[in-house]
Amino acid sequence: MPLFQKAAFSTTVADLRDLPTDSQCEVAFAGRSNAGKSSAINTLANHTRLAFVSKTPGRTQHLNYFQLEQGKYFVDLPGYGFAKAPEEIRSQWEGLLAPYLRYREALRGLILIMDSRHPLTELDLQMLDWFAVTGKPIHVLLTKADKLTRQQQAVTLQEVKAVLAEIGGNCTQQLFSSLQKSGVREAEAVLGEWLGLEITEERLPPTGLASEKTARPKKRSAIGWSARRSGKAH
Ligand code: GDP
């Protein structure tokens, strides 16, 4: 049985004062709009429409809580990257997201969703830099891996790994496909550990993806993320 099979929508939080008080452990999901965040949450919960609750009117700019079991939650954060007024972005970030990400004690780690064809955008890098200082772990899900060849998958994984190593902190990464349901086992292992959930072999589906060992590229291609990073303003 998938680890998060019992996930159910719990509440939408627009104000820090309304954060659930019974949460002992929670994991937040962030990423650019359209990167595949809702699909990834649905895949992990083995539920086709669960996270689309977050896309309904009145909920898209807030924190959407999904209860996994008593006191344990996934928290779906607003997708970033769509053109919004700067004032709107600032007030959402300062009023809700920044204090939530920095001070929420129950928050165990951040799952950062990136489209594997366009990973590490400027906003992704800003989020990584900003969250890494909390000392809490970040796990990057490189989604839509089914759109890449095996070789492109391996190269992308290595490139992202190199950039994350530069950022420092506690960052890991993996390939993921909601379409093929691949990478689920690896993600469940990370989430299960963060959330203190017991994972038994019978509960884990196969990953269906090449491991780093079997699919290591011969040489790194010059995608230039590192160069872009070093040139960016903080
Ligand atoms: P969100 O805005 O980050 O929540 O993204 P969605 O989960 O709504 O996905 C955006 C689009 O990408 C939708 O058309 C999905 O069907 C598609 N998508 C999401 N995950 C995958 C995937 O693993 N593989 C493929 N091929 N398409 C995906």
Side-chain angles (χ1 to χ4, degrees), residues 174-231:
Q174 68 158 101
L175 295 159
F176 192 87
S177 165
S178 294
L179 190 76
Q180 296 179 330
K181 308 231 179 302
S182 54
V184 173
R185 177 185 178 144
E186 206 177 336
E188 283 190 335
V190 171
L191 288 162
E193 194 188 323
W194 290 359
L195 291 162
L197 292 169
E198 201 177 319
I199 307 168
T200 56
E201 276 303 309
E202 308 85 71
R203 295 175 86 174
L204 294 173
T207 70
L209 284 171
S211 74
E212 273 177 60
K213 277 195 187 107
T214 57
R216 194 175 287 278
K218 288 197 182 69
K219 66 180 176 85
R220 285 178 51 191
S221 66
I223 296 177
W225 292 322
S226 310
R228 216 172 69 195
R229 242 187 77 68
S230 55

Side-chain angles (χ1 to χ4, degrees), residues 31-43 51-52 55 76 79 82 113 115 117 142-147 176-181:
R32 266 184 86 84
S33 299
N34 219 37
K37 177 159 59 69
S38 306
S39 302
I41 293 173
N42 289 339
T43 299
F52 289 119
K55 297 195 165 188
D76 190 4
F82 263 135
I113 309 287
D115 187 325
R117 297 165 301 171
L142 296 162
T143 57
K144 310 190 192 182
D146 54 277
K147 292 193 181 265
F176 192 87
S177 165
S178 294
L179 190 76
Q180 296 179 330
K181 308 231 179 302

Side-chain angles (χ1 to χ4, degrees), residues 86-102:
E87 192 42 53
E88 196 187 340
I89 296 172
R90 190 164 48 241
S91 86
Q92 183 190 52
W93 179 252
E94 288 175 2
L96 186 63
L97 291 173
Y100 167 77
L101 287 166
R102 194 146 283 179

